[in-house]
Amino acid sequence: FRINLAWINDLKDLLDILSRHKENKIFIDLPKNRTKPPNNKYTMDEIKPILEKFQNIKYFAISNVDTKDDLAYYLDYIPNTISIVPKIESPKGVNNINEIVNSLRNEKIIMLDHDDLYSSMIKSNDDPKNFSTYIETLVNFCLKNDVILLRTVGVIFADTEKRTSEYVK
């Protein structure tokens, strides 16, 4: 069960969701340095007690990981029972994948956000033709090093969303 904290309006909502799903393994996604909406932000001081309380939280993804240094703070902060999952969203992250994976303490799992990788390339004037090369590099690294690579597959649309988010005027 994946929970993206960008979409959680307050931590009471998160606690309610976690309380209802105590039997599920939980994957929390922390949107670090997110600029697009929704853009709810929480501090690790707010999140850490929740991570310690709910033993079924098994994974904690951190976005915009470019180097192992981006993980250092979280490695010290997040309980050892939780696997940290770096989210690769830039060519720099792809180029530093070996050091990033080697800094992980539990399962070797990474996420790839194709859209953000491409956006990062455009922002840095990287040739769009390199997009496939970055993905191939990451896929091959993961295959050779027994790293699980979580990739976005399409977009889910539903007619059940009833919230009027704060970014919709």
Side-chain angles (χ1 to χ4, degrees), residues 94-153:
V94 173
N95 292 334
N96 291 320
I97 194 61
N98 189 50
E99 74 169 28
I100 291 168
V101 167
N102 285 335
S103 70
L104 298 175
R105 60 179 179 222
N106 296 335
E107 295 175 82
K108 307 295 185 196
I109 304 172
I110 63 169
M111 292 175 76
L112 167 63
D113 189 314
H114 298 83
D115 292 342
D116 288 347
L117 172 60
Y118 191 78
S119 295
S120 174
M121 290 176 60
I122 298 303
K123 285 179 192 171
S124 64
N125 295 317
D126 196 337
D127 188 338
K129 293 176 187 172
N130 293 332
F131 182 68
S132 325
T133 304
Y134 289 124
I135 291 177
E136 186 178 323
T137 297
L138 205 54
V139 167
N140 288 338
F141 174 85
C142 291
L143 288 172
K144 289 178 185 171
N145 294 283
D146 293 322
V147 175
I148 296 170
L149 175 60
L150 303 176
R151 298 172 64 174
T152 51
V153 180

Side-chain angles (χ1 to χ4, degrees), residues 5-24:
L5 292 178
W7 290 89
I8 300 296
N9 290 326
D10 61 53
L11 291 177
K12 182 186 175 306
D13 289 346
L14 176 62
L15 290 169
D16 289 344
I17 292 168
L18 291 171
S19 294
R20 286 193 318 267
H21 295 280
K22 288 182 178 179
E23 302 303 316
N24 298 88

Side-chain angles (χ1 to χ4, degrees), residues 47 62 78 137 153 169:
I47 295 171
I62 301 161
I78 293 174
T137 297
V153 180
K169 303 279 188 233

Side-chain angles (χ1 to χ4, degrees), residues 2-11 13-14 27-42 47 61 63 87 163 165-167:
R2 178 177 174 247
I3 301 170
N4 187 335
L5 292 178
W7 290 89
I8 300 296
N9 290 326
D10 61 53
L11 291 177
D13 289 346
L14 176 62
F27 187 113
I28 291 185
D29 194 339
L30 177 69
K32 184 175 70 86
N33 299 327
R34 183 181 173 106
T35 57
K36 62 187 174 187
N39 195 8
N40 296 310
K41 295 180 181 175
Y42 303 102
I47 295 171
S63 57
K87 198 172 193 181
R163 291 178 293 172
S165 298
E166 59 193 51
Y167 62 94

